[in-house]
Amino acid sequence: MKRVSLVLTLALATGLSAQGASAQTLKTIKDRGMLSCGVSQGLPGFSSPDDKGNWTGLDVDICRAIAAAVFNDGTKVKFVPLSAKDRFTALQSGEIDVLSRNTTWTLSRDTSLGANFTGVTYYDGQGFLVKKSLKVNSALELNSASVCVQTGTTTEQNLADYFKGNNMKYEVIAFASADETVKAYESGRCDVFTSDVSQLYAERLKLANPADHVVLPEVISKEPLGPMVRHGDDQWFDIVKWTLFAMVDAEELGVTQKNVDEMAKSDKPELKRAFGTDGNLGEQLGLTKDWFSRIVKSVGNYGEAFDRNVGAGSKLGIARGLNNLWNKGGIQYAPPIR
Ligand SMILES: N[C@@H](CCC(=O)N[C@@H](CS)C(=O)NCC(=O)O)C(=O)O
């Protein structure tokens, strides 16, 4: 009994009980002076580097928003490009602090991989891309097709389920990287390319004649994509989770990259809490009072990041759809900042 209370007293005295004994990630990142963020190897709209090595995309903006929350500087990110197969090992080994790479939240990934999903940055689903010349209008006409797919993805499993469920035969041709998969499809090694629909749009832009290819109407799975952190550090889990929530809540509250300074002066109670002019919510996360405005200043609210990278203001031109806010017909919903 005595020993237990001594340990407890010590833990309280050192502040360990408040944040959990393993709340080391934030400290490691601060000591390093840089967030290490795992992204894809190049997926327009989500994460891709230009010829100078500047990364842009929705997944990239999540990394920048986290860096802004920690350092007040969205450029303090080291982007680590990862294939589908290598992404989880990089997180487990500590090479990256967070994985922000079009990764689907599933039960097995949430448990056996020793990681936690922190939310959904993009509600997606799996689809099929075919050449228009194939004259196919529905995925149900794909019996006996050859299908190009990337290994180490949920895509492979859904493909098998869909063809089996519809009593159709198919031949899988699998590759380790997106580039190889798309090249194989373009060169005619397979009839179909299957992936998350957002990725079909992104990869189609890389083809010589994007207009020669069509995304079939069927969406055969749920692919909620979101950032992932390692098990065992609840403080870091909270920071990544609430960075995303802050972006979604900012959109709902009407706070934009442009008006953020003006809105910070507001008397509205919910804005005062978010901006830290009332209470200490930022500090409770292990961050600073101005954590919310740092995030919005750096990348804008969720809607702005969506539009710029994958939505109406981007080359992809994807409609908000499910990714609209809950009060605008979509299912993007963040808990309140209070
Ligand atoms: N969301 C699915 C698929 C993710 C995935 O890796 N898709 C490929 C299909 S194109 C991709 O994005 N590759 C990009 C890369 O390898 O850099 C998952 O989490 O398993």
Side-chain angles (χ1 to χ4, degrees):
M1 241 342 225
K2 246 190 186 154
R3 179 171 271 179
V4 171
S5 66
L6 180 68
V7 171
L8 201 67
T9 316
L10 273 175
L12 281 172
T14 52
L16 288 178
S17 70
Q19 300 292 2
S22 52
Q24 277 300 316
T25 313
L26 181 60
K27 185 177 179 313
T28 308
I29 293 165
K30 280 186 173 165
D31 291 348
R32 194 197 294 130
M34 194 63 93
L35 173 79
S36 176
C37 204
V39 291
S40 81
Q41 290 166 309
L43 201 55
F46 288 86
S47 51
S48 62
D50 64 14
D51 43 16
K52 291 191 192 92
N54 294 319
W55 287 83
T56 52
L58 185 61
D59 286 344
V60 161
D61 278 349
I62 301 299
C63 306
R64 294 201 190 284
I66 302 167
V70 174
F71 296 112
N72 200 15
D73 184 349
T75 67
K76 293 203 166 160
V77 186
K78 180 185 170 211
F79 293 100
V80 181
L82 295 164
S83 73
K85 195 171 126 287
D86 297 335
R87 60 187 148 170
F88 303 121
T89 328
L91 184 65
Q92 287 158 345
S93 71
E95 185 190 354
I96 54 172
D97 307 307
V98 55
L99 178 69
S100 181
R101 183 205 175 280
N102 55 298
T103 295
T104 306
W105 188 347
T106 67
L107 188 149
S108 59
R109 287 177 175 175
D110 222 1
T111 52
S112 61
L113 289 179
N116 277 327
F117 280 86
T118 59
V120 179
T121 46
Y122 188 103
Y123 289 95
D124 212 337
Q126 185 174 332
F128 299 98
L129 184 76
V130 295
K131 293 194 180 69
K132 278 187 184 158
S133 58
L134 211 62
K135 298 207 162 32
V136 165
N137 298 311
S138 157
L140 293 167
E141 296 167 32
L142 292 176
N143 193 18
S144 300
S146 51
V147 187
C148 278
V149 65
Q150 192 165 338
T151 47
T153 58
T154 48
T155 322
E156 268 184 308
Q157 299 155 7
N158 298 325
L159 174 66
D161 292 354
Y162 184 76
F163 274 76
K164 194 166 169 236
N166 288 295
N167 286 319
M168 300 193 302
K169 289 204 196 77
Y170 68 109
E171 184 198 354
V172 191
I173 310 182
F175 299 90
S177 74
D179 267 1
E180 288 169 290
T181 318
V182 174
K183 273 198 191 109
Y185 164 74
E186 190 163 31
S187 71
R189 278 191 67 190
C190 45
D191 307 312
V192 188
F193 167 46
T194 186
S195 177
D196 300 342
V197 173
S198 66
Q199 288 152 49
L200 296 180
Y201 286 114
E203 297 293 0
R204 185 167 62 172
L205 289 178
K206 293 190 198 160
L207 300 174
N209 290 308
D212 292 350
H213 305 263
V214 60
V215 176
L216 296 178
E218 287 84 2
V219 177
I220 66 162
S221 68
K222 288 190 288 186
E223 307 292 328
L225 312 177
M228 230 179 164
V229 295
R230 271 181 302 283
H231 276 169
D233 186 340
D234 286 349
Q235 182 198 38
W236 183 239
F237 182 35
D238 285 344
I239 289 174
V240 176
K241 204 165 37 175
W242 280 96
T243 299
L244 170 59
F245 291 158
M247 289 171 67
V248 175
D249 279 329
E251 181 177 10
E252 193 180 330
L253 293 166
V255 182
T256 66
Q257 208 165 13
K258 242 193 194 145
N259 73 13
V260 57
D261 284 329
E262 211 43 51
M263 295 292 260
K265 294 178 203 149
S266 168
D267 275 341
K268 276 194 178 164
E270 58 209 6
L271 288 174
K272 287 181 81 170
R273 278 191 294 270
F275 282 109
T277 46
D278 181 20
N280 68 343
L281 296 175
E283 288 95 329
Q284 287 181 31
L285 281 169
L287 301 171
T288 53
K289 259 192 189 320
D290 62 344
W291 70 288
F292 179 82
S293 45
R294 287 181 173 195
I295 292 169
V296 184
K297 265 186 201 167
S298 162
V299 299
N301 66 39
Y302 176 78
E304 292 179 287
F306 187 99
D307 281 1
R308 180 173 65 237
N309 293 304
V310 298
S314 75
K315 279 190 192 148
L316 271 70
I318 300 175
R320 278 297 285 274
L322 280 182
N323 293 295
N324 219 329
L325 291 183
W326 64 284
N327 54 4
K328 290 193 175 149
I331 56 173
Q332 276 295 355
Y333 181 105
I337 301 175
R338 63 182 314 144

